Amino acid sequence: MVDLDRLFNPLSVAVVGASNDVRKTGHRYITNLAKGSYSGELYPVNPGESEILGLTSYQRVTDIPGDVDLAIVTVPARIVPKVISDCSRKGVRFAVVHTAGFAELGVEGAGLQEQMIEQAQSGGTRIIGPNCMGIYSTQAGINTVAPVPATQEDAGTVAFVGQSGWATENVLGIGYERGLRFGKVVSIGNQSDLTVEDLLEYFGNDDNTSVIGIYIEGMKRGREFLRIAREVSRKKAVVVWKAGRSEYGVRAAMSHTGSIAGDSIAADAALMQSGVVLARDLEHLIDLMVGFTSPVLPAGNRLGLLVEAGGGSVAGSDSAAALGFDLCTLSTETQQELIGILSGVIPPFAPPRNPVDIVWGPSVNRSSFFLRCSRVIVKEVDALLVVNYREYDDEFAVGLAKLRDEVNKTILIVPGHSFENRKGMELMTRHGVPSFTIPERALGTLQSMLRLSRYRSDY
Amino acid sequence: MVDLDRLFNPLSVAVVGASNDVRKTGHRYITNLAKGSYSGELYPVNPGESEILGLTSYQRVTDIPGDVDLAIVTVPARIVPKVISDCSRKGVRFAVVHTAGFAELGVEGAGLQEQMIEQAQSGGTRIIGPNCMGIYSTQAGINTVAPVPATQEDAGTVAFVGQSGWATENVLGIGYERGLRFGKVVSIGNQSDLTVEDLLEYFGNDDNTSVIGIYIEGMKRGREFLRIAREVSRKKAVVVWKAGRSEYGVRAAMSHTGSIAGDSIAADAALMQSGVVLARDLEHLIDLMVGFTSPVLPAGNRLGLLVEAGGGSVAGSDSAAALGFDLCTLSTETQQELIGILSGVIPPFAPPRNPVDIVWGPSVNRSSFFLRCSRVIVKEVDALLVVNYREYDDEFAVGLAKLRDEVNKTILIVPGHSFENRKGMELMTRHGVPSFTIPERALGTLQSMLRLSRYRSDY
């Protein structure tokens, strides 16, 4: 296993291509590090500048006085091999090469990429990229990927590897809004040296990682990926969106990250047999990562549905049927218990067989009302989906999380109006009560959670 | 055809069950009307109050001095037949019965619903509901459905009928945020009198309606629906989400709106043969309505893909392949033309065969750059999907809309980051350049647009 500790927590960082010119990406990277949460040593490198943001600018990496754990490289492609040669000579542990214009551009670029790798190997510098957006680490306060905070307060246990800057920045941005809190994120680009397999293995062994998301166009070491995934899936969810599936997609992937994609149907089967959870698209990928932040996976397919929205009840029921959930009729005792809680509090409603559609909740003490109903229903099912209005507040989130821990069953939640409730959805997910925009997305995710749960028991 | 003009544009409205008690829905309805955009006559009816919001409160509907076009009824279920009897005697044209507790509660409730209908028929009052959220009309400034403006300035040509308050308020709320602008929306509940067929026929003949969305659990007159849909689909898109599809869903629909659902597979086939566009869920329904606000449908399956996000290029290509689009290789002349625009402006990029992945657009004059590229690509395709970053501003929206009208081809757009670009997405859609969160949702919608286009040419 490649030890990546210093990649995610470097004591010293050199920005090669740092600049005083605000139009250059090298300006953005050095500014983010100098003015952000990163507190280690910081060295700008640019032969044309003597000082950048008050820091001495070095001509070359080899001129830097102290050790360098990580070099962030953003210089023209043709200069990259020389910079990496310097990194090797200097003993730099990791270089993140943002620059594009390598294998993704065809034969000539591939040659340049080869040259760069030769230089890296000469001194043992390990490469992320080229043609990538870099890394995000809350531990180190480093973020070259997306407009999302990367401080200790925002730290979480979700990790992500994306072979696309677009996918990576969207997973970070949309995911953060949805309540995902990341620890370590990498945009790996062309995978010229370190590959998704290295990252998966490292995250699999990282105590601060609980959920691993992956966007990949082409695997360099497919068999190894499956071997690692098989082990990691036993304790952590590995969610994979494999793109470049079609003839068109393969063509696009080739010019994007120089990836060669294989047979998708065979790959899907092999991935699923290794416990990997498959995503169809960006939003599905994020839904799945949200779902797996739940500390509990369902043990079976009995589903309880507590709704305050008739249409949501029908949609949830249709979806439950389509996905093979058992919307089991609650026992007479449980129905009576629910009627006891509900009668006098809300207008007349249909028998609470399951789904339990309470039509319209009471106007006071709503959180405790829904918690009481949830507590009764959850006894007889493996997982509970709640679709209700408003009050996605601390009381409700903490209450549902406590109930989940007491009964050790999965609880998911969908607000009546997602467009009014983004903050509340985020809050719920952060408490391990994964929240979704519509019942279908919640139950599709629950189905994947059940599959992983079964993979683990069958193992 | 039932003339519903006065339902959507009533000169006088009575709120039966209006109240000074802020906890009652009757308070909310009268307040919205009295303090909102509605400018016709307004009559509160409540035997326990003499004045509400400065308006004289009447004991009964029959006590109101002037004519009443529309009665909004929110009183306990057992009193509803009596209120409707009064409406009939008074000659009220339409009554929207919000109250729940009718056919959806079983035999007893069904009896009460029957009584209500008998009373309505005695005097010719037509009923929307019961068990519904009512109506939204920008023409009249009436909105009992969702927290979305209902003024003339917010008027649009999208109509919606939902047999669920949840679906209706979400379509209005999410749809409004996505750029849909509605004219007439109805939550129809139990369909005791006026049904989805009546609404479809009316909207089909309404000059101010261009797109019709429908959420339905059970159809009362299925054959008639198909007959009407067949005609309407020739000029307007009819988008239908039919819920209550499964055994579970049927059970839920029965207790939600007392609907009896039929064979879904046969129904889907019949609907599609009638030109109806089928939606799978709430978000798909909204995506489709967004798509059909485009003034142009694609004439064929040749697709152009202009992207500034490699991952988006791969995702769009995979999706194009899966959905049967022809991501046709652009001619040598067109490729040369693109290279002419791009070289010197952006870093080296792969040949612009299609998809055209420009990797990273220039930092200045971005809108005109993307417009120039779009103009070149769109010549050789039936529809164009653009996936790019920022600048979802008036210049870009107007420019794309103008290009669309010049070439008479569909243009769709996906922002690089949907989480940062909600306002921009709304703007694009309002200009008839439908905007989506991910390429897959854009192309799934485009596929339905192509189907409708073919239905019309085959007709």
Side-chain angles (χ1 to χ4, degrees):
Chain A
M1 191 184 83
V2 187
D3 180 357
L4 303 175
D5 289 357
R6 287 291 177 87
L7 172 66
F8 293 110
N9 197 17
L11 304 180
S12 50
V13 175
V15 178
V16 187
S19 176
N20 283 311
D21 183 341
V22 295
R23 293 167 304 177
K24 304 222 163 162
T25 52
H27 179 79
R28 184 158 61 83
Y29 292 145
I30 191 77
T31 308
N32 283 354
L33 286 163
K35 302 195 171 166
S37 313
Y38 175 68
S39 59
E41 292 296 327
L42 186 57
Y43 306 108
V45 177
N46 187 333
E49 313 253 15
S50 58
E51 197 184 293
I52 296 172
L53 300 179
L55 297 164
T56 304
S57 171
Y58 297 91
Q59 297 261 312
R60 294 171 64 170
V61 172
T62 43
D63 298 335
I64 295 171
D67 286 344
V68 177
D69 283 341
L70 171 64
I72 291 176
V73 180
T74 173
V75 297
R78 64 190 150 66
I79 306 169
V80 167
K82 194 171 168 322
V83 165
I84 297 301
S85 160
D86 282 2
C87 287
S88 271
R89 282 200 283 152
K90 175 68 186 168
V92 171
R93 290 172 193 239
F94 298 98
V96 172
V97 182
H98 291 270
T99 312
F102 291 89
E104 79 277 12
L105 285 192
V107 178
E108 205 178 317
L112 200 61
Q113 188 165 309
E114 273 301 307
Q115 279 176 45
M116 175 193 75
I117 289 298
E118 272 168 37
Q119 297 304 330
Q121 284 170 347
S122 71
T125 299
R126 303 304 304 259
I127 307 274
I128 295 281
N131 184 27
C132 77
M133 303 274 290
I135 66 166
Y136 168 98
S137 164
T138 43
Q139 194 178 6
I142 294 179
N143 180 10
T144 62
V145 180
V148 159
T151 61
Q152 290 287 354
E153 301 85 70
D154 296 287
T157 60
V158 177
F160 184 76
V161 196
Q163 197 183 14
S164 152
W166 172 80
T168 311
E169 66 200 14
N170 270 293
V171 164
L172 256 176
I174 302 175
Y176 191 90
E177 191 183 52
R178 287 283 301 278
L180 292 180
R181 288 298 175 268
F182 298 87
K184 303 174 178 77
V185 172
V186 191
S187 155
I188 52 169
N190 292 5
Q191 302 190 91
S192 67
D193 175 23
L194 290 169
T195 65
V196 65
E197 290 80 13
D198 297 311
L199 273 300
L200 175 60
E201 191 167 28
Y202 177 79
F203 291 146
N205 285 285
D206 175 23
D207 289 340
N208 294 317
T209 295
S210 68
V211 177
I212 303 164
I214 294 171
Y215 167 91
I216 188 83
E217 293 174 0
M219 286 172 189
K220 298 263 169 163
R221 297 178 276 142
R223 268 172 209 280
E224 211 173 326
F225 186 94
L226 295 174
R227 179 186 63 73
I228 302 166
R230 209 152 44 228
E231 289 306 313
V232 176
S233 299
R234 293 174 69 179
K235 43 195 175 151
K236 305 178 185 188
V238 179
V239 183
V240 173
W241 176 23
K242 167 74 180 69
R245 310 179 66 79
S246 59
E247 198 189 321
Y248 292 151
V250 168
R251 200 163 78 188
M254 176 55 81
S255 71
H256 176 221
T257 54
S259 292
I260 299 163
D263 178 344
S264 283
I265 294 169
D268 285 357
L271 286 166
M272 286 183 77
Q273 278 166 24
S274 303
V276 166
V277 181
L278 295 179
R280 285 183 304 274
D281 59 39
L282 181 68
E283 293 182 350
H284 190 214
L285 176 70
I286 293 165
D287 273 353
L288 290 169
M289 292 172 72
V290 164
F292 284 104
T293 59
S294 165
V296 188
L297 297 186
N301 76 334
R302 291 174 310 161
L303 174 70
L305 203 48
L306 171 61
V307 293
E308 185 188 17
S313 172
V314 183
S317 300
D318 276 346
S319 177
L323 298 170
F325 286 103
D326 177 11
L327 211 56
C328 51
T329 301
L330 298 174
S331 68
T332 317
E333 295 77 36
T334 295
Q335 288 192 43
Q336 281 306 323
E337 211 177 330
L338 283 168
I339 289 168
I341 295 172
L342 298 164
S343 65
V345 181
I346 62 164
F349 63 101
R353 292 192 189 107
N354 189 24
V356 179
D357 178 1
I358 61 161
V359 185
W360 198 259
S363 53
V364 291
N365 295 328
R366 290 169 46 80
S367 296
S368 69
F369 171 82
F370 278 103
L371 284 170
R372 278 208 308 282
C373 293
S374 298
R375 184 176 297 277
V376 173
I377 300 168
V378 84
K379 286 186 303 185
E380 298 191 357
V381 295
D382 299 301
L384 175 69
L385 172 63
V386 180
V387 183
N388 73 336
Y389 290 90
R390 294 183 195 85
E391 249 137 272
Y392 279 48
D393 56 9
D394 274 314
E395 183 195 346
F396 196 31
V398 169
L400 283 175
K402 224 177 114 189
L403 174 60
R404 174 204 64 217
D405 291 340
E406 273 174 42
V407 299
N408 201 38
K409 290 173 178 179
T410 313
I411 302 178
L412 308 177
I413 197 156
V414 170
H417 299 157
S418 63
F419 62 99
E420 287 188 312
N421 234 326
R422 289 200 181 92
K423 280 278 166 208
M425 289 175 69
E426 178 196 323
L427 180 74
M428 292 290 167
T429 296
R430 281 199 282 116
H431 278 85
V433 179
S435 180
F436 301 86
T437 50
I438 54 175
E440 290 85 348
R441 287 172 69 169
L443 294 182
T445 301
L446 186 66
Q447 189 192 38
S448 295
M449 293 165 73
L450 178 57
R451 277 208 202 108
L452 182 59
S453 170
R454 284 181 171 155
Y455 169 84
R456 286 181 186 164
S457 17
D458 292 351
Y459 199 82
Chain B
M1 191 183 81
V2 186
D3 180 355
L4 303 176
D5 289 356
R6 288 292 177 88
L7 171 66
F8 293 109
N9 197 16
L11 305 180
S12 49
V13 175
V15 178
V16 187
S19 176
N20 283 312
D21 183 342
V22 294
R23 292 167 306 179
K24 303 220 163 166
T25 52
H27 179 80
R28 183 158 61 84
Y29 292 145
I30 192 77
T31 308
N32 283 353
L33 286 162
K35 303 194 171 168
S37 313
Y38 175 67
S39 59
E41 293 295 328
L42 186 56
Y43 306 109
V45 178
N46 185 333
E49 314 253 15
S50 58
E51 199 183 291
I52 296 174
L53 301 178
L55 298 164
T56 303
S57 172
Y58 298 92
Q59 297 262 312
R60 294 171 62 169
V61 172
T62 43
D63 297 335
I64 295 170
D67 286 343
V68 177
D69 283 341
L70 171 64
I72 290 177
V73 180
T74 173
V75 298
R78 65 191 148 68
I79 306 169
V80 167
K82 195 171 168 325
V83 166
I84 297 302
S85 159
D86 281 3
C87 288
S88 270
R89 282 201 282 152
K90 176 70 187 169
V92 172
R93 291 173 194 237
F94 298 98
V96 171
V97 182
H98 291 269
T99 313
F102 291 88
E104 80 277 13
L105 284 192
V107 178
E108 205 178 317
L112 199 62
Q113 188 166 309
E114 271 303 306
Q115 279 177 45
M116 176 193 75
I117 289 299
E118 272 169 36
Q119 296 304 330
Q121 285 170 347
S122 72
T125 300
R126 302 305 303 261
I127 307 275
I128 295 280
N131 183 27
C132 76
M133 304 273 291
I135 66 167
Y136 168 98
S137 165
T138 43
Q139 193 178 9
I142 294 179
N143 181 11
T144 63
V145 179
V148 159
T151 62
Q152 289 287 354
E153 301 85 70
D154 296 287
T157 60
V158 177
F160 184 77
V161 196
Q163 196 182 13
S164 152
W166 172 80
T168 311
E169 65 200 14
N170 270 294
V171 165
L172 256 175
I174 302 175
Y176 191 90
E177 191 183 51
R178 287 282 301 276
L180 292 180
R181 288 297 177 268
F182 299 87
K184 304 175 177 77
V185 172
V186 191
S187 155
I188 52 169
N190 292 4
Q191 301 190 89
S192 67
D193 176 23
L194 290 169
T195 65
V196 65
E197 290 81 12
D198 296 312
L199 273 300
L200 175 60
E201 191 168 28
Y202 178 79
F203 291 145
N205 286 284
D206 175 23
D207 289 339
N208 294 317
T209 295
S210 68
V211 177
I212 302 165
I214 293 172
Y215 167 92
I216 189 84
E217 293 174 359
M219 286 174 189
K220 299 263 170 168
R221 297 176 276 142
R223 268 172 207 281
E224 210 172 327
F225 186 94
L226 295 175
R227 179 186 61 74
I228 301 165
R230 209 153 44 230
E231 289 307 313
V232 176
S233 299
R234 293 174 68 178
K235 44 194 173 149
K236 305 179 185 188
V238 180
V239 183
V240 174
W241 176 23
K242 166 75 179 68
R245 308 178 67 79
S246 59
E247 198 190 319
Y248 292 151
V250 167
R251 199 165 79 187
M254 175 55 81
S255 71
H256 177 220
T257 54
S259 292
I260 298 164
D263 178 344
S264 282
I265 294 168
D268 285 356
L271 286 166
M272 285 183 78
Q273 278 166 25
S274 303
V276 166
V277 181
L278 296 179
R280 286 183 304 273
D281 59 39
L282 181 67
E283 293 181 351
H284 190 213
L285 176 71
I286 294 165
D287 273 353
L288 290 169
M289 293 172 72
V290 163
F292 283 104
T293 59
S294 166
V296 188
L297 296 186
N301 75 335
R302 290 174 310 160
L303 174 70
L305 203 47
L306 171 61
V307 293
E308 184 187 16
S313 172
V314 183
S317 300
D318 275 346
S319 177
L323 298 169
F325 286 102
D326 177 12
L327 210 55
C328 51
T329 300
L330 299 174
S331 68
T332 318
E333 295 77 35
T334 296
Q335 289 192 43
Q336 282 305 324
E337 211 177 329
L338 282 169
I339 289 169
I341 296 172
L342 298 165
S343 64
V345 181
I346 62 164
F349 62 101
R353 296 192 186 106
N354 190 24
V356 178
D357 179 0
I358 60 160
V359 186
W360 199 259
S363 53
V364 293
N365 295 327
R366 291 170 46 81
S367 296
S368 69
F369 172 82
F370 278 103
L371 284 170
R372 278 209 309 282
C373 293
S374 298
R375 184 176 297 277
V376 173
I377 300 168
V378 84
K379 286 186 303 185
E380 298 190 358
V381 295
D382 299 301
L384 175 67
L385 172 62
V386 180
V387 182
N388 73 336
Y389 289 90
R390 295 183 193 83
E391 251 139 270
Y392 278 50
D393 56 10
D394 272 314
E395 183 195 347
F396 196 32
V398 169
L400 283 175
K402 223 177 116 190
L403 175 59
R404 174 204 64 218
D405 291 340
E406 273 173 43
V407 298
N408 201 38
K409 290 175 179 178
T410 313
I411 301 179
L412 309 177
I413 196 156
V414 169
H417 298 157
S418 64
F419 62 99
E420 288 188 312
N421 235 326
R422 291 201 180 91
K423 281 279 165 207
M425 289 174 68
E426 178 196 324
L427 180 75
M428 292 289 166
T429 295
R430 280 199 282 116
H431 279 85
V433 180
S435 181
F436 302 85
T437 50
I438 53 175
E440 291 85 348
R441 286 171 70 168
L443 294 182
T445 300
L446 186 66
Q447 188 191 37
S448 294
M449 293 164 74
L450 178 57
R451 277 209 201 108
L452 182 59
S453 171
R454 285 180 170 154
Y455 169 85
R456 286 180 186 163
S457 16
D458 292 351
Y459 198 86

